[in-house]
Amino acid sequence: MNSLRTVVVCLLIACATLVSPAAAVTPGWSALPVPAAAPPVTVKDLAARGPGEAWASGYEHAADGLRPMLYRWDGTEWSRDTTFPGAGEQGWLGKVQFVGKEVWIFHNRAGEGEILRRSAEGWSALPLPRTLRIYQDFAAVQGAAWVVGEDDTGLKVLHYDGSAWTTQAAPEDVHYVMGITARTATDAWAWADTSTGTTVLRWDGTAWRDAKVPLPSRANVHTILLEPSGRAAVSGSQHTDDGVRAYLMTWNGHAWRTTYPPLGDTYTEALVRGPDGALWLPVRSDRAFQSKYARVDGARTTFSYGPQRTNAIDVKPRAMARAGSSLLSFGTVEIYGSKPNLMSERLGG
């Protein structure tokens, strides 16, 4: 009888283990091989559209100057793309955006700005209407694109409406636009330097105006994350009498909420919304041989580490993206005795 009871109990435990979500093993970070570039390298952006397509951009530091660098994830492996216009010329690649069925990537081609566009027919290039001295940022959505920067006459906000470029006016007290992002052609956000400090601007389809975001005092903005649901997040750093600390502001459609997660002085540009609903970003690691990631879910912040890398002295994820039910990161790893080269990691999948 006791033997029969033991068998029944064991079967019940086994069944509970199979069906209970709480008993499921949470997958950890794993390393994804990336074909080497010419080190040292700089990673600029990573964007994904589902589990089977992601693009990572940046540049190599070649002997004769910077060279653009582009990698594609097909759901199984990373490969380098050298088929785009100007791939063998001096320059660099910046932000990656998905516009409809196309991929748009900002390209500084030997000092001239253009937008690379990849469709089913292949690559094409959309040149900018003027040359800027500084190309600061780029954003694109269906029916619109923006490039912000400076020329010798000052601040420039270039706008593309699908057929032609125009120059948009910023509020008078804006000295410099540091970044831009967009949700739709009539809903774009930018963060800018003004005479009174950092300000968030919003384009409503007619004009750029102060968005009245209640940023912390003495704060900088690193990025703005806009989501299709209408939610938004602003991340950055605040200078206090005790030093610098990270802050995070979230908009639920009705009000802003500000928190100060324990991220230290981490630069929070790589903020993404994960498949679990939490906000994720890479942070400065306290382990030379492992990357480190923060997961921010409301008032709770937890951390996880990437895989251990033999002889690594610095592992730096630079960009993150949600790829279906997994998270991808792309960055650099420096192995003792060599210059930093490319690395990628995945959580889940």
Side-chain angles (χ1 to χ4, degrees):
M1 188 68 179
N2 287 337
S3 298
L4 180 59
R5 183 181 298 129
T6 301
V7 171
V8 172
V9 170
C10 290
L11 287 173
L12 289 173
I13 292 174
C15 290
T17 301
L18 288 173
V19 303
S20 173
V25 177
T26 302
W29 289 94
S30 58
L32 301 174
V34 183
V41 295
T42 298
V43 173
K44 293 293 288 184
D45 195 23
L46 169 66
R49 175 165 51 191
E53 183 182 9
W55 297 83
S57 64
Y59 52 88
E60 303 169 317
H61 296 256
D64 59 346
L66 304 182
R67 296 283 178 177
M69 184 180 70
L70 182 63
Y71 283 80
R72 183 182 183 183
W73 170 256
D74 64 1
T76 303
E77 62 182 2
W78 284 103
S79 61
R80 183 158 184 174
D81 189 304
T82 57
T83 64
F84 60 89
E89 303 174 17
Q90 291 187 358
W92 51 267
L93 297 178
K95 187 179 286 184
V96 182
Q97 305 270 265
F98 291 103
V99 181
K101 296 182 179 180
E102 296 185 340
V103 178
W104 291 29
I105 306 173
F106 181 80
H107 184 200
N108 183 321
R109 187 173 182 177
E112 300 291 328
E114 64 180 15
I115 298 172
L116 296 175
R117 299 190 298 186
R118 187 180 188 275
S119 65
E121 288 72 37
W123 289 101
S124 61
L126 175 66
L128 300 189
R130 61 198 305 167
T131 299
L132 303 183
R133 180 171 52 86
I134 297 174
Y135 297 98
Q136 186 62 25
D137 203 6
F138 157 68
V141 293
Q142 194 76 46
W146 290 264
V147 173
V148 295
E150 285 188 347
D151 63 11
D152 292 337
T153 64
L155 166 68
K156 290 292 176 292
V157 180
L158 306 179
H159 175 250
Y160 181 69
D161 64 2
S163 59
W165 288 95
T166 56
T167 300
Q168 294 182 335
E172 289 186 1
D173 62 340
V174 172
H175 304 313
Y176 190 72
V177 175
M178 296 172 283
I180 189 167
T181 187
R183 188 172 8 233
T184 68
T186 57
D187 187 14
W189 299 51
W191 48 108
D193 179 46
T194 72
S195 55
T196 57
T198 303
T199 299
V200 176
L201 307 174
R202 190 171 185 180
W203 168 259
D204 61 5
T206 303
W208 286 98
R209 298 183 174 89
D210 190 336
K212 306 298 182 182
V213 177
L215 298 174
S217 61
R218 299 162 63 188
N220 296 321
V221 172
H222 296 164
T223 195
I224 297 177
L225 177 64
L226 301 179
E227 302 182 62
S229 64
R231 291 187 299 183
V234 178
S235 68
S237 59
Q238 181 190 33
H239 294 266
T240 69
D241 294 339
D242 298 324
V244 179
R245 64 175 179 174
Y247 73 87
L248 179 63
M249 300 181 67
T250 53
W251 169 258
N252 61 8
H254 305 285
W256 288 100
R257 180 174 182 264
T258 304
T259 58
Y260 297 90
L263 306 176
D265 60 352
T266 291
Y267 197 79
T268 60
E269 181 182 18
L271 185 73
V272 298
R273 178 76 65 180
D276 58 355
L279 292 169
W280 287 78
L281 70 159
V283 296
R284 185 172 299 168
S285 182
D286 51 344
R287 302 177 185 177
F289 53 89
Q290 283 180 288
S291 57
K292 187 176 182 180
Y293 302 90
R295 178 184 183 275
V296 183
D297 188 5
R300 186 178 183 220
T301 302
T302 55
F303 300 91
S304 59
Y305 290 90
Q308 295 188 24
R309 296 178 179 271
T310 304
N311 296 327
I313 59 176
D314 196 14
V315 187
K316 292 182 177 179
R318 293 293 189 181
M320 293 183 69
R322 175 182 175 177
S325 60
S326 64
L327 279 170
L328 287 177
S329 74
F330 204 86
T332 60
V333 56
E334 184 175 358
I335 304 298
Y336 179 77
S338 62
K339 296 179 180 179
N341 216 311
L342 297 172
M343 73 91 184
S344 180
E345 296 174 344
R346 178 172 60 176
L347 178 67

